[in-house]
Structure formats: C-alpha cells, structure tokens
Amino acid sequence: MAMEITQILLNAQSIDAASRKHAEESLKQFQDQNFPSFLLSLSGELANNEKPVDSRKLAGLILKNTLDAKEQHRKNELAQRWLSLDASVKAQVKACLLQTLSSPVPDARSTASQVIAKIAGIELPQKQWPELIGILLSNIHQLQPHVKQATLETLGYLCEEVSPEVADQDQVNKILTAVVQGMNASEGNNDVRLAATRALYNALGFAQANFSNDMERDYIMRVVCEATLSPEVKIRQAAFECLVAISTTYYDKLASYMQDIFNITAKAVREDEEPVALQAIEFWSSICDEEIDILDEYGSDFTADSDIHCFYFIKQALPALVPMLLETLLKQEEGQDQDEGAWNIAMAGGTCLGLVARTVGDDIVPLVMPFIEENITKPDWRQREAATYAFGSILEGPSPEKLTPIVNVALNFMLTALMKDPNDHVKDTTAWTLGRIFEFMHGSTVETSVITRENCHQILTVLLQSMKDVPNVAEKACGALYFLVQGYEDSGSASPLSPFFHDIIQALLSVTHRDDAGESRLRTAAYESLNEVVRCSTEETAPTVMQLVPVIMMELHQTLEAQKLSMDEREKQNELQGLLCGCLQVIIQKLGSAESSKYAFMQYADQLMELFLRVFACRNATVHEEAMLAIGALAYAAGQNFVKYMQGFYPYLEMGLQNFEEYQVCAITVGVVGDICRALEEKILPFCDGIMTHLLKDLSSNLLHRSVKPPIFSCFGDIALAIGENFEKYLIYAMPMLQSAAELSAHAATVDDEMLEYTNQLRNGILEAYSGIFQGFKNSPKTQLLMPFAPHILQFLDSLYNEKDMDDVVMKAAIGVLGDLADTLGTNAGPLINQSVSSKDFLEECLSSDDHLIKESADWAKLAITRAISG
C-alpha cells in the first residue's frame, strides 16, 4: 500500500470524479484496516523530498484531520486515539514531521508545522513530548532561512493550539525571545521576519509576565512598531495585527506608547496599502471597544481599587483622530453598496467613527459638524456621501439634547436627498442614516422625538416612494421603515401610522414581488419590516392584518405547488418559504393573543396547520425552524383545541427531536414541545411517552450540540406542569439525569465567559425542571414521591450559593425552587430546609436584592419556608 500511496493521493485530487471517488475509498479502507501504518505512510510521504508537492500536501492535510475536528466530542475521541497508539509509531511520525521542517518545499514545511502543533496540542497537556520546544528552539540557530521560517511558523501554530498554563515561564521566555529576534529589522530574510511577526500574534496570550516587566514590554513594543515600517507589505499588515491584539490583551499597559502608535497608524491610514490601512483603523476601533466595555461596566466612577481603569485614550486622541477618520470616508469604492461583503477604508473609517461617538458621546459632535456642513451640498458625490455617512455614524453615543436641534434641521434635507439626489450611493447612505435617526432619536424612551404627527406623513411618503428605487436603496428604505414603526410600538391605540397602515402593507408586499427582490437582501428586508409593522400594529388596524392572512397563506401555498425546480430555484424557494412562515408566525402571535381578533382568526387554523405540515415534507432546516416556531405560536393561540392537530403533527415533532445534525431545529422543537404543553395541559398525556423517550435519548447522546441540553431540562418542567402527578412514571429516568447534570454544573470549571454563560444556562434549565416538577405535584397525594430527591436538590442550591458565579436569572430560579420545594413538600421538608445554607444566607441575600424579580421570588419563598418550618 505504501508504494501506491503517492498515486492514490494524486488520484484523490483528480479532475475525474470516478478516480477521485475510488482513491478516497482506498484511503478510507487503508485507514480503517491499519491505522498505524496509514499514519506512517502519510508522514513518510510528507517528509520525502522526492515526492510531488500535491501528494505531500494532501498527506499532511489528512494527517491533520486524523488529529483534529470541529466538534469537541470528536476532537476528544481523535486525541484519545492518537494517545493510545504504540509509542514507536508516534515517535516515527513525529520524526518525519520535524524532518519536513527543513524541506526546500514551502507547502510541505507549512503543512508539517500545522500537524506538529496539533500533536503538541494533544501531548503537551499530558506532559508528553517535553523535548519538542527545545528541538524547535535549536532550529532557530540554523543558518538556512527556510528552516528558521518553518520553525517560527510552527511555534506560532503551537501557541495557538496550546493554552498558556501548559508551558512554563522559562520556555515562554525562550519562545518569545526567538520570535522577537526573528522580527527584528536586522533579520535580513523577509519570510523569516513575516513568520516571526505572525508567530508573535499567536504568542501574545503567553506574554502576561513579559508585558508586566517594563524593559521586556518596551523591547517587544519597539520591535512591533518597527515592523509596521517594514518595506514588505505583508510584514506591515502582520505587525498592525499584533498591535490590534495587544490593544485588547494589554490595554492597561499602553499609555506610554500611544503617541507613537497614533503617529504610525495615522501614516498608515493616509499613505499605506489598503490591507495595512484597514488594520491601522482596526487598532482604534479596538481601543474604542475596550473603553466602551469599561465605561459600560463601571460608569465613570473609578475608584483607586477598581481592577480595570479607563485611560480615556480616545478622548485624548480626539482632535487628531477624528480628522484622520473623516478623511477615510472620502475613499469610497464605486459600487460598494451593491456588494454585500464589501469592506474598505471608507467603511472601516465610518465604523470606527461610530465607535468613537459611542466612546466619547457629545464631544464628537463639534468635531464632525464642520465636515458635514462643508461637504453635504458639494457637486462631487463622494463628498456628499461622506458627509451623510459621517452624520449617520455619530447618531449613537451623543445625548438626544445635543443631537435633536441638528437632526431637526437635517431631517428635511435628508428626505429631499433620498428623493432627488442623482447618485444611488448617496441615496443608499441617506436611507441608512434616516434609519439610524429613527432608531436612536425616536420612540418611547426619547423625551422629544424628532418625528411629529406633522412630519410623519411626509416621512412615510418618501420611504414608500424610495422602496421603488434600485434594490440597495429600497433595502435601506425598508430598514428605515422598520425603525420608524418600532418607535411607535408603545404608542397605545392611537398610533400616527394607523391612517397609512394599509398603504404601508401594500407597499411592502409590492417590494416582495419585485423581479429584482433577490438582490441586496431586498426581499428579506421587506419581510422583516412587514413583520415589524404587524408586531407593532394596534387594535384599530387588526382588520387589515386579518386580510393579510389569506394573502400570505396563498403565497406559501404557491411555493409548495412549484414543480421541477433547478437547484438555484429550489434554494430561492426555500428562502421564500422560510420568510412566509416567519411572517405567519408574527401574524398568529398578533391576532391570536388579542381577545378581539382571536375568534375570527381561528377560522384559518385548519388551513394554516395543513400548510405547515406540507412545509415539513420539504427537506430544509431553515424552513423547518420557521414552520416549527409558527406552529408553537398557533398552539399558544389555539389552547386546548390544538389537540385535534396532534395526531398529524406528532411525526414531525419526533423528526425535529431526532434532528441532531441541524441542532437549531432540535432546540426549537424542544421549545415548541413547551408551547404545546402550556396549550394542551393534561391533554398532551397520550404523547408524553414518545416525547420523554426522545428527550432522554437526546440528553444521553454525545452527538447533540451542548446548547440544546438546557432547554431539554426546562422542557421536563413544562411536561410535569402540564400532566401533574402523571409525571410519576418518568421520575426514575428524569431525576438521575437532572442530578448528575446538577452536580456537573454546580462545580463547572468556568475557564472563560462563554463557558460560564453556558453553565448558567444549564443551571437555569435544571432549576426550571425542578420547579415544574414540584409545582406539577403540588396538592397531589403523591408528593411523597419527591421526598427522596429533596436532600440532593437542597445541596445543589447550597453549592450554587457557595460557588458565587451564578447570574441573576439563575439566582431568581434557584430561590424559586427553594420556595416550590417548601410549598409542595410542606412540613415533611421542614427539618431538611432548616439544615440548608440556602434557606438562611442565600434567602437573606435575595431578600435584599436590587433586582425586584429576585426580591419577589424571595418574598414568596420566605413565606413558603415559614409555613413548612413552623407547620
């Protein structure tokens, strides 16, 4: 097999589909039959300089894929498989990889670097391959530049794969020394210097100690800043990427370098090539992000002991920073507004200007207004567009008091420009700016809205007219309408939009039927606005919304009738079905929740349900999600009457609960089970065996994405609430699952914010389950069945309290469970409750909480506990 491996690897990249398929099957067979010799063949191929570059590259890529996968559980399996291999096989593979680092072929070296890093990611945390870093560092002293380059690249990938706590400080110092030396201007070889600069980017997370030492930090910063002036564009770009990373990782260490950094970023923004200039702007955006976060968290009340201090870098740089950003706005590209993925200096500059406005608030306005006033009426479209973009960018951040007088003057001007400006690009940005005005300067939270009953008609006339413009302008006009409508959400029954309601809906429906509605996200934007119009509508316009039901149903019906579609048409069809189901969901929620319209609306329920079930017959995940959500809304509106649809719907519900691949569909289906429980109550009982079986299977599967597990636990609570003491037969399955999940989540190693957030979602799901079960059994003769579980539940609440890392949602749920337990088990649980920390310290803490929801839950829990203990 090893003899033929070269040919098989080349065939696997052949243009001929048959030989490609045959080669892929041979590789899979080889891997399955003899994994160790498969790895040896691949690493031998990669290391052999006589072999063709294409077979070597693919050999390395396949090697990498035997070690790593996207899904965490698969990643762990592959790591275990590698660790359990015979030591001599691993040693041979590693020797081949290290040898490849000195290959004259760049692709082979680069692939070997990545594979070495993957193995290091598996072995170093297990205290294996301790000599690796030493071997790599000794390579750095080689005279051949290509070996140096490959070694630095490997060190970079290694820092990306391994977490900082795995390497000891001595090794970190040596790696950083090697990397920073490789970046030095004295390094004559550009490939080496580029590899070193990219490696530093990945190594920054390891440099905590070095950045705390003034001399070392000065040296690193000097080398990075020098690299931003390299004659080689890729090195300059990589150096600025390092500066961006430093700005977030070491924000608090930057003060003494800011003046120099300003000078080099300003020079790059004005003179350098686009990839470099974009990173230079990104540095300032990233400083804004840091300061916005700090100011959000602490307000402006810094005390000497607050762990994070705001240095107000942006405020200090304002007089020079704002003019630099305003210049970038004039560097637009022709046609950028039609290209969805476009990103250039003008867009980056505008984005940064918006972040600056959010960072410094009112101070930005006087610095930007002269630029707007000077350019807004210029004959060159670039100047008019830049002025409009600048205005739109500073609307979030400054106070309404500061902006209102300016916006009042600007509004008429903008409306005229949207109708009359000869340039589409200017109209596009004008419509976007109007949307921002409506988003930030209008609505129930704004004291004096810039929109009055008088100008409302004129604004609507312009927006509806603008929806007939070219797709990118029409799309922004739909977006502006979205925020205009949203601002009237709380206006009660007398919305100023009511007289125009019919026209608005007609205009949006016309947009969805445009031949070019597929461009610039126009159709999607029109449906998003239509949904918002319906969501914010008042009782007096309910008859118009009712007329919309058969129209949208008919459109959905037509998409289901379409025959023999090409792939491309099928994709567009799926997108449209998703949008129509989404629209129906909003209509169902609106009409089904108001007593005045509910009865009339329910005449459509049978037809709606029939359409949704037909949608499930089409195989498309997004459409399934939307249809599932619409059915959840319908169940909520129909209440107990929904039972008549259960027989037909149940098979699709099962399908959704088994859909591990498209886990969002699974999560939404779990949510819909909750909706149906609330609607049907005890009438859901005949379906519970099947539903519980699937939910329990989902929980014990490794294949299901972890984000679906918290809602499944909540769903146990929904089912128990619906069927009460009939939940008895599921206790022996559900309780042990809840118990082991509770233990895991109480003491989870929350390494980062994302993990902590997930842990809290899991805790919340578990608590909602317990709550539902206790409430479901309340007043039943079978409450005693829950007694054996009480000690463990109280212990869970105690450990949550002791861990001190739960969020407010979990806190409220936890104190609620304490109350439910006391309320349902009564005096039997009194002695147990008395022994728990939760019933004393935790309860006290919640009773004095600022969060009124937590306080409310705690007041109720206190009452229930008092009854249980004194009873």
Side-chain angles (χ1 to χ4, degrees), residues 519-540:
E519 294 169 36
S520 296
R521 276 191 74 256
L522 178 55
R523 182 177 287 113
T524 306
Y527 277 111
E528 282 170 357
S529 298
L530 180 59
N531 293 350
E532 200 59 12
V533 169
V534 169
R535 200 179 64 77
C536 301
S537 61
T538 58
E539 210 167 296
E540 65 176 310

Side-chain angles (χ1 to χ4, degrees), residues 391 406-416 434 437-438 450-451 455 459:
F391 188 48
I406 305 170
V407 172
N408 281 334
V409 175
L411 192 60
N412 266 334
F413 186 90
M414 295 276 161
L415 292 169
T416 310
L434 283 168
I437 291 176
F438 303 153
V450 294
I451 300 173
N455 64 14
I459 291 171

Side-chain angles (χ1 to χ4, degrees), residues 808-820:
D808 287 354
V809 179
V810 174
M811 196 178 237
K812 175 183 174 301
I815 208 70
V817 167
L818 183 65
D820 289 329

Side-chain angles (χ1 to χ4, degrees), residues 292-303 306-309:
I292 289 168
D293 284 351
I294 296 170
L295 295 169
D296 274 357
E297 198 152 323
Y298 297 96
S300 43
D301 51 343
F302 293 105
T303 49
S306 59
D307 42 345
I308 299 182
H309 184 64

Side-chain angles (χ1 to χ4, degrees), residues 552-570:
I552 303 287
M553 275 171 42
M554 191 60 209
E555 299 213 358
L556 184 55
H557 175 76
Q558 282 164 352
T559 66
L560 293 162
E561 294 297 306
Q563 300 294 322
K564 297 200 176 60
L565 297 175
S566 68
M567 274 297 283
D568 195 31
E569 289 169 330
R570 163 82 51 228

Side-chain angles (χ1 to χ4, degrees), residues 179-217:
V179 167
V180 175
Q181 274 173 353
M183 284 176 70
N184 234 319
S186 59
E187 171 55 61
N189 183 293
N190 276 342
D191 292 341
V192 172
R193 204 173 169 199
L194 178 61
T197 311
R198 287 179 174 162
L200 179 68
Y201 178 85
N202 287 329
L204 284 168
F206 289 72
Q208 298 288 353
N210 314 78
F211 262 81
S212 303
N213 173 317
D214 293 354
M215 272 178 60
E216 292 185 31
R217 182 177 66 245

